[in-house]
Amino acid sequence: VNAFLHLCVSAFPTSLAMQFVDRMISGMMIFGFAAPAQAAMADLFASDPAKLGIMSSQAAAWFGVGCTVGPFLGAKMGGARSFAASGLAFLGTVLFVSTLTRETLTAEARKKFNYADINPVAFLKLFKDRTTSLLTCTMTLQSAGDYVNVYDINNLFMIKVLGYGQQQIGKFAMTVGLTQIAGGILSGRLIKATSLKFSTAFSNVMWILGMAMMGTARNTQQAFLALAIWTFGHQRATPVSSYLQKYAAQHGLGRAEIVGAQGNLAAYFKVMIPLMYSNIFAWATSNGRNIPGLPYFTICAITALSQLTFQSAAPED
């Protein structure tokens, strides 16, 4: 689906309607290919939450490679050619998955597919008890600060406050990918050296510091210092997700079922949160107000709340 849409954009680069449809549907399809990958990781490692956290962090580092190479190539190619290249990359991924990867569960171990599971409130399965409910709330609050949710507000902030153009924004996005690579590697090592609980607290604190720094940034040096701090917070949800796999599985939920339910809830936030930040930014920079960093300060508060919620969940290793 994403390959087809991206190739359509490359064929009709001046069509705003085509770009809108591509952005809407291809964004939705993120869960279509991310969820199976996450479920496969859970099938392989979820029996040991710490191991799952380490391996998920390593996978995130490779995701960061894509987030680095993608903006770099896109900025070099520009316009229609970048969408064509992206479409071909998706086709290459289809070929790789269909020919070189194996199922992580035997046929006997798979749960029977139930069409009733395809519903807009599938996330309610995660609210089985106090622990799973609080862990789910923790991840939801953490997702309010995810890079994909602050992407648009980053662009607004960099254009209005830092005076960035498209090329500078592309370089910033590429550097975000580098911090995700480093963050994945460091988070895996931190979990291995300490615990899932410590890693969660540390990464939440660093995310708060990084967002506060970004909110007060007024030049490139300050913005990239904030980005450097983000390195230590990118994977703050990884330990929580590992715990959720453990506790939700105790209620009979399958690994993929848990991942799908998480994605179902996250999808609502991916619609609401960017709109909320845009409205906050508009209010904070109008009628004489000059607080362009207010969306980032809001993320600080939400992330702090996520840490308090996690502590209330009190999961056991």
Side-chain angles (χ1 to χ4, degrees):
V1 173
N2 283 8
F4 173 76
L5 289 171
H6 280 35
L7 291 173
C8 285
V9 172
S10 70
F12 306 100
T14 60
S15 173
L16 183 61
M18 187 67 248
Q19 292 181 36
F20 177 80
V21 171
D22 171 70
R23 178 71 179 271
M24 178 177 64
I25 298 179
S26 63
M28 177 180 66
M29 287 293 138
I30 289 174
F31 296 109
F33 54 82
Q38 294 168 353
M41 294 284 290
D43 287 339
L44 295 170
F45 305 112
S47 58
D48 181 351
K51 180 69 172 178
L52 176 59
I54 294 169
M55 299 307 295
S56 296
S57 295
Q58 292 181 10
W62 285 105
F63 179 81
V65 172
C67 290
T68 303
V69 175
F72 175 77
L73 294 178
K76 291 292 184 182
M77 295 178 181
R81 288 185 298 175
S82 65
F83 277 94
S86 179
L88 293 175
F90 275 116
L91 290 176
T93 303
V94 171
L95 181 63
F96 176 84
V97 172
S98 60
T99 59
L100 297 176
T101 60
R102 297 179 298 173
E103 291 289 341
T104 50
L105 289 179
T106 62
E108 297 76 20
R110 298 171 199 167
K111 295 186 68 174
K112 185 177 180 181
F113 182 75
N114 184 0
Y115 282 97
D117 290 334
I118 306 175
N119 66 79
V121 290
F123 63 85
L124 292 177
K125 299 175 183 179
L126 300 176
F127 291 84
K128 293 289 188 179
D129 59 28
R130 183 177 183 276
T131 302
T132 60
S133 297
L134 289 172
L135 288 173
T136 301
C137 289
T138 298
M139 290 194 65
T140 303
L141 292 168
Q142 287 177 318
S143 74
D146 286 352
Y147 180 68
V148 293
N149 286 338
V150 299
Y151 181 83
D152 291 334
I153 201 64
N154 278 347
N155 289 350
L156 284 173
F157 184 85
M158 288 185 285
I159 291 170
K160 185 175 180 65
V161 179
L162 303 179
Y164 278 13
Q166 191 61 45
Q167 188 175 19
Q168 291 165 303
I169 292 174
K171 290 180 179 178
F172 186 89
M174 183 183 71
T175 309
V176 170
L178 292 174
T179 65
Q180 289 177 328
I181 296 171
I185 296 171
L186 292 172
S187 293
R189 292 180 179 178
L190 182 64
I191 293 171
K192 187 175 182 179
T194 58
S195 66
L196 291 171
K197 289 182 181 178
F198 179 84
S199 179
T200 302
F202 176 79
S203 56
N204 278 336
V205 169
M206 296 306 290
W207 200 247
I208 291 170
L209 293 176
M211 286 295 165
M213 185 68 204
M214 190 65 180
T216 58
R218 294 298 180 268
N219 56 53
T220 294
Q221 290 78 10
Q222 292 170 344
F224 275 80
L225 175 58
L227 184 51
I229 299 173
W230 289 2
T231 300
F232 304 95
H234 281 304
Q235 299 306 311
R236 63 200 178 284
T238 297
V240 185
S241 179
S242 299
Y243 277 128
L244 187 57
Q245 279 286 341
K246 171 186 175 180
Y247 284 93
Q250 294 174 1
H251 293 281
L253 296 181
R255 306 299 186 190
E257 195 174 7
I258 297 168
V259 171
Q262 290 175 242
N264 174 238
L265 182 56
Y268 286 102
F269 265 62
K270 280 179 168 53
V271 173
M272 296 184 294
I273 290 297
L275 289 174
M276 183 184 79
Y277 293 152
S278 296
N279 287 325
I280 291 175
F281 185 84
W283 179 88
T285 56
S286 61
N287 296 326
R289 289 180 288 266
N290 186 29
I291 324 170
L294 188 58
Y296 297 105
F297 303 146
T298 303
I299 294 171
C300 292
I302 295 174
T303 305
L305 181 59
S306 76
Q307 177 59 33
L308 293 175
T309 305
F310 177 72
Q311 291 176 194
S312 297
E316 297 293 335
D317 290 329

